[in-house]
Amino acid sequence: MTRTDPSVPADLASIVAAHGKSVAAGDNAAVLADFLPDRIGQLIASADVPTPLRSAEVQSIADVGDGYFDAVIRYTKPDDSWFELRSRWVRDAEGIWRTFSVRNIPDTPPWMDLTGPSADGLDIPHWDALRDGRMLLQRCSACRTWAWSPRPICPTCHEFDMRWEQVEPVGTVYSWTRTWQAFTKESTGHLPYVVVLVELPHAGARRVLGVLADADGVTPTIGSTVRGEIEQPPDDEHWPLVRWHLEGTTS
Ligand SMILES: [Zn+2]
């Protein structure tokens, strides 16, 4: 059953259906021909598509504004399990429909293995506390200066007595970037994603890096409020991560 927006051009609907069949058939030449030429390099690595596939079914096509249309196609594997990809389509200069963004659903990478203590071990209390659902940052016991990243000596008064204090994971976007490359294997299929540098007013305006959740098509504004949610790892081998949410959004 296809749910299609009445504003969706009929020629796009047939091109999307044919694209799904090409992907399911493993017809790479036909799939590449549907890509907007200047995005081919990004698109080749952008989706995680297991093979073989048995069939493709267009689930929806929606007008998302600015001449863009989002198609969701469900791919079924021989064992009847399935996954969905979202492709974004636009008419190129010659009026031909091309896709310039393909990603797996959900939008946010399900996990990242990059997290965990640094080689010097100075930040181990931070990671241990995340396992307990709390965010700790370093603070000098003498002059009360907050520090991040962790260090053995207070950057202000040079005392050695750096301790750990709990911080509410709420802050503002100091800076951000949208990442188009799969620097980790877990992010394949979930590109692009947005990394935010979050300033923590409850910790002396120290700044921490993290991934913004649900950031597909979202352009953060500098100064927006974000709230961190501590997500526990799938097993004991991995470490928790703090994923940031723009205030007013939930996941
Ligand atoms: Zn100090």
Side-chain angles (χ1 to χ4, degrees), residues 160-205:
F160 282 86
D161 196 10
M162 298 300 286
R163 299 191 184 177
W164 293 88
E165 289 193 18
Q166 186 169 352
V167 179
E168 190 186 357
V170 174
T172 56
V173 175
Y174 182 84
S175 187
W176 63 274
T177 187
R178 203 183 310 275
T179 299
W180 289 90
Q181 304 298 327
F183 292 114
T184 65
K185 62 179 169 31
E186 309 85 55
S187 58
T188 300
H190 304 280
L191 299 167
Y193 61 91
V194 170
V195 172
V196 282
L197 183 59
V198 178
E199 186 169 281
L200 299 170
H202 304 295

Side-chain angles (χ1 to χ4, degrees), residues 29 71 85 105 139 142 194:
L85 298 181
I105 298 173
R139 194 173 193 187
V194 170

Side-chain angles (χ1 to χ4, degrees), residues 50-173:
T51 55
L53 296 169
R54 200 183 64 208
S55 62
E57 188 181 11
V58 179
Q59 299 297 300
S60 62
I61 304 177
D63 183 346
V64 291
D66 298 328
Y68 302 151
F69 291 83
D70 276 0
V72 174
I73 304 175
R74 179 176 298 182
Y75 295 97
T76 305
K77 297 187 246 180
D79 66 0
D80 283 338
S81 64
W82 55 264
F83 64 96
E84 292 178 340
L85 298 181
R86 192 225 65 197
S87 49
R88 183 160 289 177
W89 296 77
V90 66
R91 281 193 198 275
D92 69 10
E94 280 132 34
I96 299 167
W97 288 106
R98 308 274 195 190
T99 186
F100 65 99
S101 157
V102 179
R103 62 192 306 158
N104 294 67
I105 298 173
D107 294 334
T108 312
W111 195 252
M112 296 255 194
D113 286 342
L114 276 178
T115 59
S118 57
D120 63 17
L122 267 179
D123 54 355
I124 285 175
H126 171 81
W127 294 104
D128 281 342
L130 289 180
R131 285 210 195 277
D132 297 333
R134 299 178 303 138
M135 187 181 195
L136 302 189
L137 260 63
Q138 253 187 343
R139 194 173 193 187
C140 173
S141 65
C143 75
R144 311 296 290 144
T145 294
W146 290 93
W148 187 261
S149 57
R151 57 202 70 200
I153 302 171
C154 172
T156 301
C157 75
H158 304 153
E159 274 287 339
F160 282 86
D161 196 10
M162 298 300 286
R163 299 191 184 177
W164 293 88
E165 289 193 18
Q166 186 169 352
V167 179
E168 190 186 357
V170 174
T172 56
V173 175

Side-chain angles (χ1 to χ4, degrees), residues 212-224:
L212 188 69
D214 308 318
D216 185 28
V218 171
T219 296
T221 305
I222 302 297
S224 335

